[in-house]
Amino acid sequence: MAAHRISDAVIRRLPGYYRYLRDLEKVGVTRISSQELGARMGLTASQIRQDINCFGTLGQQGYGYNVPELRAHIGEILGLAHGYEMVIAGAGNIGQAVAWYPGFSQRGFHVSALFDVKPDLIGRVIRGVPVYNITEMRAFLREHPAKIGVVATPARVAQTVAHQMIEGGVRALWNFAPMDLKVPEGVVASNVHLTDSLLVLTYRLQRLEEENSAPSNEPAP
Amino acid sequence: MAAHRISDAVIRRLPGYYRYLRDLEKVGVTRISSQELGARMGLTASQIRQDINCFGTLGQQGYGYNVPELRAHIGEILGLAHGYEMVIAGAGNIGQAVAWYPGFSQRGFHVSALFDVKPDLIGRVIRGVPVYNITEMRAFLREHPAKIGVVATPARVAQTVAHQMIEGGVRALWNFAPMDLKVPEGVVASNVHLTDSLLVLTYRLQRLEEENSAPSNEPAP
């Protein structure tokens, strides 16, 4: 059991390790060196070794890492050893994108229901997932417990919807509404702000254009 | 001009600063201390001061920060002073979610067109944005230059679509396909992996459950 305290920076990189190792496993790669893995992921070999050392000594000098073992171990740390039931509030574009995202079922996530307020959506079954009235969400959760709740509603109702999910037994909230959810102790929330990654992109675009337009005083690297 | 080198960690936090300052400005707050801003953002006052010092000395001892000034300054660093034209490849749920996201137009992003391969989408105008055949994308970009391209296609065609965008003059790629785009020098890309934030959430959920189920040997905090 990985009960080590892992730093936030390493935790943020873990899903990336999981993705890369999964892709390697898919194409039949069974072992990889820290150099090779680093080159693929855009990290240095020493960074890779340092990160992986945080959660146990899994590499061997001169052999590298066993890909399926390391992938399984990271999956366990990420809590993917058991599956998760998930409900989604808001059956708009974001809610539907999450519901049908193929990567989720592959990682053991199962969407049991979507909830919305729109009469033309309620009662439909879209790609196997039923859409119910949001007023039925708490009752549904009593019958069909789910640990993960996705909030894909307008911002003005997101906090209320989150509270209803928590009352229904949801312990982890994945929020796409453009605001930060407040949650009580014993519940975790992740607020996804799509614009944030766009603004980091425009930052880098602007730096790039400044570099290109500035007269170069430095020798070329 | 903010030509300082800002660390990646600070850059990642900049959009958050921008959001919080924007929200404060909206409700008429004109100045804020590092303590207050830190409490809202879940950062320490010294972290706030350290971050903001990276891009100039904008705070005053005993006064705090001027909210509209600091927001404008961070917006400038993020490259938001001028607007951006944006095209989107893939008019599925993710593509449409990006196209209609209200936060983008407020920040100066304008979606000029969506591109897809589906006959039932091509030729439609959805909420003011036309959907064209993806084969017309390069020609469209010659007539209507756009610096930002959103890739919301299946993974298997994402790299090809990205190349077509770059040939059409796109300099920044915002990629939602579940793979990492390779881009030539002079072009920047941001690969958004939606599952990553979900896996960080399950990691935290699992730690929480371990803590709750473990016999406590430590005094309560």
Side-chain angles (χ1 to χ4, degrees), chain A residues 5 19-20 76-79 104 147 174 180 186 189 193-197 202-204 206 208-209 211, chain B residues 5 19-20 76-79 104 147 174 180 186 189 193-197 202 204 206 208-209 211:
Chain A
R5 266 290 146 215
R19 267 190 287 116
Y20 276 92
E76 207 182 282
I77 294 172
L78 287 170
F104 294 134
K147 280 218 174 127
W174 198 26
D180 288 337
H193 292 285
L194 282 183
T195 38
D196 284 11
S197 58
T202 57
Y203 171 84
R204 291 167 56 206
Q206 177 159 287
L208 191 79
E209 295 187 336
E211 279 164 26
Chain B
R5 265 293 146 213
R19 267 191 285 116
Y20 275 92
E76 206 181 284
I77 294 172
L78 287 170
F104 294 135
K147 281 219 173 127
W174 197 27
D180 288 338
H193 293 284
L194 282 182
T195 40
D196 284 11
S197 59
T202 57
R204 291 167 56 205
Q206 176 158 287
L208 192 78
E209 293 185 340
E211 279 165 27

Side-chain angles (χ1 to χ4, degrees), chain B:
Chain B
M1 290 288 100
H4 317 267
R5 265 293 146 213
I6 302 178
S7 79
D8 280 354
V10 177
I11 293 164
R12 269 200 307 273
R13 284 195 288 274
L14 279 181
Y17 279 106
Y18 189 81
R19 267 191 285 116
Y20 275 92
L21 291 165
R22 222 171 156 278
D23 288 348
L24 287 167
E25 215 180 331
K26 268 190 202 161
V27 294
V29 176
T30 52
R31 72 185 224 194
I32 194 162
S33 68
S34 48
Q35 284 81 2
E36 287 171 313
L37 188 56
R40 280 165 183 268
M41 293 185 63
L43 296 168
T44 65
S46 97
Q47 174 81 82
I48 298 271
R49 284 193 298 267
Q50 215 175 311
D51 282 359
I52 294 178
N53 274 344
C54 287
F55 36 91
T57 47
L58 293 156
Q60 273 174 46
Q61 189 75 40
Y63 174 86
Y65 300 105
N66 178 307
V67 172
E69 253 179 41
L70 184 58
R71 203 265 311 148
H73 189 71
I74 292 175
E76 206 181 284
I77 294 172
L78 287 170
L80 301 181
H82 38 85
Y84 288 101
E85 289 296 314
M86 193 152 101
V87 293
I88 302 176
N93 284 313
I94 293 272
Q96 291 199 26
V98 171
W100 327 134
Y101 194 71
F104 294 135
S105 62
Q106 288 163 11
R107 284 164 182 78
F109 296 96
H110 175 253
V111 178
S112 52
L114 281 153
F115 296 90
D116 208 295
V117 293
K118 293 212 180 79
D120 57 321
L121 288 170
I122 294 165
R124 287 176 60 188
V125 176
I126 315 179
R127 298 199 218 177
V129 181
V131 186
Y132 298 115
N133 194 316
I134 193 124
T135 58
E136 296 171 50
M137 191 169 65
R138 265 180 292 193
F140 178 91
L141 284 167
R142 276 196 294 272
E143 299 286 314
H144 309 86
K147 281 219 173 127
I148 299 178
V150 181
V151 179
T153 65
R156 67 181 185 285
V157 296
Q159 188 66 61
T160 306
V161 163
H163 276 307
Q164 291 168 350
M165 285 179 169
I166 294 166
E167 284 173 8
V170 163
R171 305 292 303 276
L173 290 157
W174 197 27
N175 174 39
F176 289 86
M179 45 79 74
D180 288 338
L181 285 181
K182 281 166 190 59
V183 294
E185 218 173 308
V187 176
V188 290
S190 164
N191 299 293
V192 179
H193 293 284
L194 282 182
T195 40
D196 284 11
S197 59
L198 178 59
L199 301 196
V200 170
L201 190 64
T202 57
Y203 171 85
R204 291 167 56 205
L205 177 61
Q206 176 158 287
R207 286 300 87 80
L208 192 78
E209 293 185 340
E210 279 175 12
E211 279 165 27
N212 289 345
S213 67
S216 177
N217 294 321
E218 290 170 52

Side-chain angles (χ1 to χ4, degrees), chain A residues 20-30 67-69 71-72:
Chain A
Y20 276 92
L21 291 165
R22 222 171 156 276
D23 289 348
L24 287 167
E25 214 180 334
K26 267 190 201 161
V27 295
V29 176
T30 54
V67 171
E69 254 179 40
R71 202 266 310 148

Side-chain angles (χ1 to χ4, degrees), chain A:
Chain A
M1 291 288 98
H4 317 266
R5 266 290 146 215
I6 302 177
S7 79
D8 280 354
V10 177
I11 294 165
R12 268 200 307 272
R13 283 194 290 272
L14 280 180
Y17 280 106
Y18 188 81
R19 267 190 287 116
Y20 276 92
L21 291 165
R22 222 171 156 276
D23 289 348
L24 287 167
E25 214 180 334
K26 267 190 201 161
V27 295
V29 176
T30 54
R31 71 184 226 195
I32 194 160
S33 68
S34 48
Q35 284 81 4
E36 287 170 313
L37 187 56
R40 280 165 184 269
M41 294 184 61
L43 296 169
T44 66
S46 96
Q47 174 81 82
I48 298 272
R49 284 193 298 269
Q50 214 176 312
D51 281 359
I52 294 178
N53 275 343
C54 287
F55 38 90
T57 48
L58 293 156
Q60 274 174 46
Q61 188 76 40
Y63 173 87
Y65 300 104
N66 178 307
V67 171
E69 254 179 40
L70 185 57
R71 202 266 310 148
H73 188 72
I74 293 176
E76 207 182 282
I77 294 172
L78 287 170
L80 301 181
H82 38 83
Y84 288 101
E85 290 295 315
M86 194 151 101
V87 293
I88 302 175
N93 283 313
I94 293 272
Q96 291 199 26
V98 170
W100 328 133
Y101 193 71
F104 294 134
S105 62
Q106 289 164 11
R107 284 164 182 78
F109 296 96
H110 175 252
V111 178
S112 53
L114 281 154
F115 296 91
D116 209 294
V117 293
K118 292 213 180 78
D120 57 322
L121 288 170
I122 293 164
R124 287 177 60 187
V125 177
I126 314 179
R127 299 198 216 176
V129 181
V131 186
Y132 298 115
N133 194 318
I134 193 125
T135 57
E136 297 171 49
M137 191 170 65
R138 266 181 292 193
F140 178 91
L141 284 166
R142 275 195 296 271
E143 298 286 314
H144 310 87
K147 280 218 174 127
I148 300 177
V150 181
V151 180
T153 65
R156 66 179 186 285
V157 295
Q159 188 65 61
T160 306
V161 163
H163 276 307
Q164 291 168 351
M165 286 180 168
I166 294 166
E167 284 173 8
V170 164
R171 305 291 302 278
L173 291 156
W174 198 26
N175 175 39
F176 289 85
M179 44 78 74
D180 288 337
L181 284 180
K182 282 167 191 57
V183 294
E185 219 174 307
V187 176
V188 290
S190 163
N191 300 293
V192 180
H193 292 285
L194 282 183
T195 38
D196 284 11
S197 58
L198 178 60
L199 300 197
V200 170
L201 190 65
T202 57
Y203 171 84
R204 291 167 56 206
L205 178 62
Q206 177 159 287
R207 287 300 86 80
L208 191 79
E209 295 187 336
E210 279 176 11
E211 279 164 26
N212 290 344
S213 66
S216 175
N217 293 321
E218 290 169 51

